[in-house]
Amino acid sequence: MDTHGERRTQGERDAITIEIGYALCSAVFAAAVLFGAVAGPAYLFGPPPGVRSLLVGSGTVLAVVVFLARVVSVLVRFDRGSRSGRPDPTSPDS
């Protein structure tokens, strides 16, 4: 049930499932690209161990932050779009 006590249609449930999948896949891609950009030089150029651990640690933290930010932003945008698409049952036009 959604916020108004109505049941979601199968189409709405499918749309939510697809949007969650899209959010996760795009977040994994963005996080992997960012991790590769930050931590990649640590594997390619063989810097001293302190620099290498700094690059890998920074890349990991940034990748996690980007992953979470991407998932949240996609799902919030979807939620806002789906709410505005429904007619208001208390509106005189409905």
Side-chain angles (χ1 to χ4, degrees):
M1 292 193 186
D2 69 15
T3 57
H4 299 293
E6 305 165 354
R7 292 190 161 252
R8 291 188 174 120
T9 66
Q10 183 64 41
E12 290 172 329
R13 290 191 305 264
D14 290 345
I16 292 168
T17 302
I18 290 169
E19 199 66 23
I20 290 170
Y22 169 72
L24 292 174
C25 289
S26 66
V28 165
F29 179 76
V33 168
L34 182 69
F35 179 80
V38 174
Y43 295 106
L44 290 175
F45 302 120
V51 174
R52 181 178 180 167
S53 64
L54 178 68
L55 287 173
V56 172
S58 299
T60 302
V61 169
L62 288 173
V64 169
V65 169
V66 165
F67 177 85
L68 293 174
R70 179 68 182 159
V71 169
V72 169
S73 69
V74 167
L75 294 179
V76 166
R77 184 174 25 125
F78 175 75
D79 186 45
R80 286 184 185 156
S82 66
R83 284 187 191 175
S84 65
R86 281 191 197 164
D88 183 11
T90 60
S91 171
D93 295 336
S94 59

